[in-house]
Amino acid sequence: MDVTTPGAGIETLVGDVADTLLDTRSRPVSASPSDRPSTSRIRRLGSVGFWLATAWLVLLAFVAVFANVLPLHPYDRFVDSLPPRASMGFRLSEPLGTDASGRSMLSRLVFGARESLLIGVASVGISLVIGSLIGLAAGYLRGRVDEVVTILLDTILAFPALVLLLAIASVGARSVNTVIAGLAILGISPFARLVRSTTLTLADREFVLAARTLGATRRRIMFREILPNVVPGIISVVFLFMAAVIVAEGSLSFLGLGVPPPVPSWGGMVNEGRQWMSTAPQLVFIPAGALLLTVLSLRTVGERIRVRFVGGVSTL
Amino acid sequence: MGRYVARKLIHMVVVLLLVSFATSLMLDLTPGDPAYAILGDQATPAAVKSLHQELGLDRPFYVRYGDWLSNLARGDLGTSYEYKQSVSSLISQALPVTAELIVLTLLLALAIAVPLGVYSARRVGGIVDRGTTFVTSIFVSAPPFISVPFLVFLFVLTWHIFPATGWVKFGDSPMDNLQHIVLPVIALSLWPVAAFTAALRSDTVATLQEDFILSARAKGLSTRSILFRHALRPSSFSLMTLAGLSLGTLIGSAVIVEYLFALPGIGSLIISAINVHDIPLVQGVVMFTAVVYVVMNTAVDILYRYLDPRLRMQKA
């Protein structure tokens, strides 16, 4: 299958990443002469989009890291000067107004970003490390190891992603750690499959044979010869996966099974604001917009890196 | 071919066995005693003990797993703690809702994605292509819990076109049924529209470079006839595979969509089961969706090989 799924529903966790990894072959697309001017215009537009996306992500990372030292109202206290559900406005403090019970929207948005990014980085990090090790071992050792690993990975993939997350959330205590663990388990399969398939193609290459002839140990070949060549392909997937993880965390928190209150999360904020949809739609639109922008940015950056490192024409 | 099918089926059975094992483990991994979940916190030790015997909780895990598996093979998924009904009857009541939702979503998504994908491929980098890429990248970044509030705001609160929530059986009143399902279907189809369009676009771009397209053009056939009669069919393999494989994503997204629109489908069932700690029901729904998903994936794999003569000739 050679499909570049753009995916980002909750489940793209699997679909998206699996397809990104399958789509390592490039598809030549030659532009006809009449297309050329517009193609270069797209490239320019595309790079504007890329820089905007990068700027948003840098801003987000900055406020998330320095949330504690920024002059923000505490996210769990009421803002005395404003009524609940105050709208956005040109105020020096609280430009985004207040939430349904009168807490600072700006502060909750920033601390929600911190929660999302923390969960994203932690779970992607865990699944990246475990998935890569499993994939390397299966792809290089092959045989029995590979068979067992493939069956186990397929078992994880047998559950629709959100259903598996819900099952894990229902078993575990309601905490950030449960969410991270669930997302990490979900992520192991795609990363392991990606690393395995890349390792399989690399294992027969001359440089690996050369290293083996020189008497390099299996461990040395796996970590010093193969792993460095696997990394470029993974980097773009990390961004795409991060987008999927943020969506999944948002969905869980939205359903009330993710980050426990009073800690803010974007999904939880959308859910809380939902009943005020007709009178104060900004309660939903602000966190929803922030999440949309973040996912869009992560995908844009990931896609750009993929085209850069892996080659191939971006289909979305 | 026969050998390939046999190997796929064996793989599927092994995966399903592991899935059933993991699912039955859920009961033991859940902290707390299920007896208290049923009887309430004030239950006497004697009552708890007799309930344990009744539910078979006093027996070791492997005995219970064996029982669970043999019941599963007969289609018996146990009894729900909350509803005091068999889990399989609860699932069969909810299934038509989810099935209608997903089938209509797939139809709508294909109806939109086919012309969109083909016309974007016609001129790579053209206005249609760029517009489509832009819109679908937003679709793909908007999970249902973000897109539904936007849709509700527009269609329900601003334009008053559709009812906000609720469900009417198709048998009771077909018009009302359709009116209630339009918005959920639109919300659920955003992701497949984007995914299908991208898949079809990238395949069609490749097909349009083939010689037979050039000869069709040289014969003086109209653009429409070239695109839809000559290019569409050989370009639709990825699309068809993706349509089959998107089931897992759609089941996951349907959970959120059903919850938001209060549709009494599989998704609402699992969420209510998780909220009241009805473990047999959670297990039943998880197992059911996993079986459907795995069987569907295997069927798509086999069908794909059967449909594509190039793959059929290869050795399994």
Side-chain angles (χ1 to χ4, degrees):
Chain A
M1 190 178 61
D2 192 349
V3 186
T4 312
T5 320
I10 296 110
E11 281 239 343
T12 34
L13 279 173
V14 176
D16 188 9
V17 174
D19 290 324
T20 310
L21 64 92
L22 288 166
D23 192 30
T24 41
R25 286 162 291 165
S26 63
R27 271 266 175 67
V29 175
S30 60
S32 63
S34 63
D35 283 340
R36 247 171 224 144
S38 66
T39 319
S40 73
R41 210 181 314 138
I42 309 177
R43 204 160 286 149
R44 259 204 324 275
L45 275 177
S47 70
V48 170
F50 171 74
W51 289 114
L52 283 177
T54 310
W56 171 255
L57 292 179
V58 168
L59 175 74
L60 210 60
F62 177 82
V63 297
V65 169
F66 295 104
N68 284 330
V69 285
L70 292 173
L72 291 167
H73 199 272
Y75 64 75
D76 52 355
R77 303 252 178 75
F78 302 128
V79 179
D80 298 324
S81 55
L82 289 170
R85 297 181 294 287
S87 57
M88 290 186 272
F90 292 103
R91 301 179 208 93
L92 209 51
S93 65
E94 310 316 330
L96 297 182
T98 50
D99 79 348
S101 44
R103 297 170 295 190
S104 162
M105 277 297 263
L106 181 65
S107 167
R108 291 182 70 74
L109 201 66
V110 167
F111 280 92
R114 192 168 74 161
E115 226 44 51
S116 280
L117 292 184
L118 180 81
I119 290 172
V121 170
S123 60
V124 172
I126 294 170
S127 42
L128 178 65
V129 170
I130 300 179
S132 302
L133 290 177
I134 294 175
L136 260 185
Y140 188 68
L141 304 176
R142 301 188 204 184
R144 274 286 125 93
V145 180
D146 191 21
E147 276 172 32
V148 172
V149 163
T150 305
I151 283 275
L152 288 179
L153 295 180
D154 281 357
T155 305
I156 302 180
L157 288 179
F159 300 97
L162 187 70
V163 173
L164 181 61
L165 263 186
L166 288 174
I168 294 170
S170 75
V171 167
R174 221 189 126 189
S175 69
V176 171
N177 287 343
T178 308
V179 178
I180 293 176
L183 292 168
I185 291 174
L186 219 53
I188 289 174
S189 259
F191 279 117
R193 283 183 146 199
L194 170 61
V195 173
R196 176 183 169 271
S197 69
T198 321
T199 306
L200 277 175
T201 62
L202 290 171
D204 294 330
R205 293 275 291 274
E206 291 81 0
F207 68 91
V208 176
L209 185 67
R212 202 180 296 148
T213 331
L214 288 171
T217 58
R218 269 210 303 228
R219 200 167 73 189
R220 193 188 157 87
I221 292 175
M222 287 203 294
F223 290 98
R224 302 295 287 271
E225 304 291 338
I226 293 178
L227 190 62
N229 288 293
V230 171
V231 169
I234 303 180
I235 297 173
S236 75
V237 180
V238 166
F239 279 91
L240 295 177
F241 203 76
M242 189 85 143
V245 162
I246 285 177
V247 166
E249 181 270 318
S251 307
L252 269 188
S253 299
F254 173 79
L255 293 172
L257 296 165
V259 179
V263 179
S265 67
W266 292 348
M269 287 169 78
V270 172
N271 194 31
E272 282 161 20
R274 224 156 40 96
Q275 50 178 313
W276 306 100
M277 202 64 199
S278 48
T279 50
Q282 80 274 8
L283 296 189
V284 167
F285 289 166
I286 291 172
L291 193 130
L292 189 64
L293 264 181
T294 308
V295 173
L296 208 53
S297 301
L298 284 167
R299 292 185 62 83
T300 306
V301 172
E303 196 60 26
R304 172 55 68 96
I305 293 174
R306 188 175 75 89
V307 173
R308 193 72 191 251
F309 280 101
V310 184
V313 172
S314 149
T315 47
L316 196 81
Chain B
M1 191 67 198
R3 208 153 160 208
Y4 174 78
V5 173
R7 223 188 43 187
K8 273 276 162 198
L9 289 179
I10 291 171
H11 183 82
M12 181 181 93
V13 170
V14 174
V15 165
L16 283 179
L17 274 176
L18 287 169
V19 164
S20 73
F21 183 76
T23 311
S24 75
L25 214 57
M26 275 179 69
L27 183 65
D28 293 73
L29 290 175
T30 308
D33 192 329
Y36 287 100
I38 301 170
L39 299 168
D41 295 335
Q42 309 300 320
T44 60
V48 168
K49 203 171 171 204
S50 75
L51 189 65
H52 276 181
Q53 266 168 4
E54 193 190 319
L55 297 174
L57 290 174
D58 50 345
R59 290 175 302 158
F61 172 75
Y62 59 89
V63 176
R64 278 181 288 126
Y65 174 62
D67 281 358
W68 196 75
L69 201 60
S70 69
N71 287 336
L72 184 70
R74 287 191 299 255
D76 177 6
L77 288 163
T79 308
S80 154
Y81 293 162
E82 177 72 11
Y83 300 94
K84 315 285 182 221
Q85 267 188 60
S86 80
V87 169
S88 43
S89 76
L90 285 167
I91 290 177
S92 61
Q93 283 162 27
L95 188 61
V97 180
T98 308
E100 185 184 348
L101 186 63
I102 288 179
V103 168
L104 288 178
T105 298
L106 281 175
L107 290 179
L108 178 70
L110 284 174
I112 297 175
V114 166
L116 221 51
V118 170
Y119 276 117
S120 320
R122 185 183 158 208
R123 200 157 288 149
V124 174
I127 290 178
V128 178
D129 188 27
R130 268 184 293 164
T132 306
T133 305
F134 179 71
V135 174
T136 52
S137 69
I138 291 177
F139 280 7
V140 124
S141 307
F145 78 96
I146 298 289
S147 61
V148 170
F150 278 94
L151 290 171
V152 167
F153 183 74
L154 287 180
F155 287 95
V156 179
L157 298 173
T158 313
W159 299 331
H160 308 285
I161 303 178
F162 299 112
T165 57
W167 179 252
V168 179
K169 274 189 189 158
F170 188 78
D172 294 348
S173 165
M175 270 321 285
D176 279 353
N177 170 279
L178 290 180
Q179 220 179 10
H180 278 93
I181 210 164
V182 170
L183 221 42
V185 166
I186 293 176
L188 200 55
S189 61
L190 294 184
W191 173 77
V193 163
F196 295 176
T197 305
L200 185 59
R201 174 188 174 275
S202 86
D203 278 12
T204 311
V205 166
T207 308
L208 288 178
Q209 322 240 325
E210 304 268 349
D211 291 339
F212 72 91
I213 296 293
L214 191 67
S215 80
R217 196 170 284 156
K219 275 198 293 187
L221 294 181
S222 71
T223 309
R224 232 176 94 168
S225 160
I226 292 175
L227 289 178
F228 289 96
R229 297 202 158 216
H230 290 74
L232 179 58
R233 217 164 69 138
S235 313
S236 54
F237 275 117
S238 302
L239 178 67
M240 287 304 141
T241 320
L242 191 62
L245 297 181
S246 63
L247 193 70
T249 313
L250 289 178
I251 292 174
S253 309
V255 172
I256 309 265
V257 171
E258 285 173 11
Y259 169 78
L260 274 164
F261 287 104
L263 306 181
I266 300 279
S268 299
L269 194 63
I270 191 173
I271 290 176
S272 72
I274 288 172
N275 284 332
V276 297
H277 300 288
D278 189 344
I279 300 165
L281 188 52
V282 178
Q283 283 178 317
V285 176
V286 169
M287 192 65 212
F288 176 76
T289 53
V291 169
V292 171
Y293 189 36
V294 170
V295 170
M296 189 73 188
N297 280 359
T298 309
V300 168
D301 273 356
I302 293 173
L303 199 68
Y304 188 62
R305 220 178 162 83
Y306 181 73
L307 286 177
D308 192 338
R310 287 165 299 184
L311 284 175
R312 211 187 307 155
M313 300 305 288
Q314 280 170 17
K315 272 200 194 137

Coordinates of all heavy atoms in Angstrom, one line a residue, chain A residues 21 30 80 95 106-107 116 143 152 161 166 183 189 207 223 239 262 268 315:
Chain A
L21 N 5.3 5.8 7.2 CA 6.5 5.0 7.1 C 6.4 4.1 5.8 O 7.5 3.7 5.3 CB 6.6 4.1 8.3 CG 5.5 3.1 8.6 CD1 5.8 1.7 8.0 CD2 5.3 2.9 10.1
S30 N 6.3 15.5 -12.3 CA 7.0 16.6 -13.1 C 5.9 17.6 -13.5 O 4.8 17.2 -14.0 CB 7.6 15.9 -14.3 OG 6.5 15.3 -15.1
D80 N -11.1 38.5 40.1 CA -12.1 39.3 40.9 C -12.6 40.4 40.1 O -13.8 40.8 40.2 CB -11.4 39.9 42.1 CG -10.9 38.8 43.1 OD1 -11.6 37.7 43.1 OD2 -9.8 38.9 43.6
P95 N -6.8 39.3 28.4 CA -7.3 39.7 27.1 C -8.3 38.6 26.6 O -9.1 38.9 25.7 CB -6.1 39.8 26.2 CG -5.1 38.9 26.9 CD -5.3 39.1 28.4
L106 N -6.8 33.0 29.7 CA -5.4 33.1 29.2 C -4.5 32.1 30.0 O -3.8 31.3 29.5 CB -4.9 34.5 29.3 CG -3.4 34.7 28.8 CD1 -3.3 34.4 27.3 CD2 -2.9 36.1 29.1
S107 N -4.7 32.2 31.3 CA -3.9 31.3 32.2 C -4.2 29.9 31.9 O -3.3 29.0 31.9 CB -4.2 31.7 33.6 OG -3.6 30.8 34.5
S116 N -0.6 19.6 27.7 CA -0.6 18.9 26.4 C 0.8 18.5 25.9 O 1.1 17.4 25.5 CB -1.3 19.7 25.3 OG -2.6 19.7 25.4
G143 N 14.1 -13.8 11.9 CA 13.7 -15.1 12.4 C 12.6 -15.1 13.5 O 11.7 -14.3 13.4
L152 N 2.9 -9.5 18.2 CA 2.6 -8.6 19.4 C 2.2 -7.2 18.9 O 1.3 -6.6 19.4 CB 3.8 -8.6 20.4 CG 4.0 -9.8 21.1 CD1 5.2 -9.7 22.1 CD2 2.8 -10.2 22.0
A161 N -7.6 2.7 17.9 CA -6.8 3.4 18.9 C -7.5 4.0 20.0 O -7.2 3.9 21.2 CB -6.0 4.5 18.1
L166 N -9.4 4.2 25.7 CA -10.5 4.2 26.6 C -10.4 3.0 27.6 O -10.6 3.2 28.8 CB -11.9 4.2 25.9 CG -12.3 5.4 25.1 CD1 -13.6 5.2 24.3 CD2 -12.5 6.6 26.1
L183 N -1.0 6.4 25.9 CA -0.5 6.9 24.6 C 0.8 6.3 24.2 O 1.1 6.0 23.0 CB -0.3 8.5 24.7 CG -1.7 9.2 24.8 CD1 -1.4 10.7 25.2 CD2 -2.4 9.1 23.5
S189 N 3.8 0.5 18.5 CA 3.7 -0.2 17.3 C 4.1 0.5 16.1 O 4.9 0.0 15.3 CB 2.2 -0.6 17.1 OG 2.0 -2.0 17.5
F207 N 27.7 -1.3 3.7 CA 28.4 -0.8 4.8 C 28.2 -1.7 6.1 O 29.0 -1.8 6.9 CB 28.0 0.7 5.1 CG 26.6 0.9 5.6 CD1 26.3 0.9 6.9 CD2 25.6 1.2 4.7 CE1 25.0 1.1 7.3 CE2 24.3 1.4 5.0 CZ 24.0 1.4 6.4
F223 N 23.6 -0.4 16.7 CA 23.5 1.0 17.2 C 24.4 2.0 16.5 O 24.1 3.2 16.5 CB 23.8 0.9 18.7 CG 22.7 0.3 19.5 CD1 22.8 -1.0 19.9 CD2 21.6 1.0 19.8 CE1 21.8 -1.6 20.7 CE2 20.5 0.4 20.5 CZ 20.6 -0.9 21.0
F239 N 7.0 14.4 14.7 CA 6.1 15.6 14.7 C 4.7 15.1 14.4 O 3.7 15.6 15.1 CB 6.6 16.6 13.7 CG 7.7 17.4 14.2 CD1 9.0 17.1 14.0 CD2 7.4 18.6 14.9 CE1 10.1 17.8 14.5 CE2 8.5 19.4 15.4 CZ 9.8 19.0 15.2
P262 N -8.4 20.1 39.0 CA -8.7 21.4 38.3 C -7.6 21.8 37.3 O -7.7 22.9 36.7 CB -8.6 22.4 39.5 CG -7.6 21.8 40.4 CD -7.8 20.3 40.3
G268 N -10.6 19.4 28.0 CA -11.6 19.7 29.1 C -12.2 21.0 29.0 O -13.4 21.2 29.3
T315 N 1.9 14.9 -0.3 CA 0.6 14.8 -0.9 C -0.4 15.7 -0.2 O -1.5 15.9 -0.6 CB 0.1 13.4 -1.0 OG1 0.3 12.8 0.2 CG2 0.8 12.6 -2.1

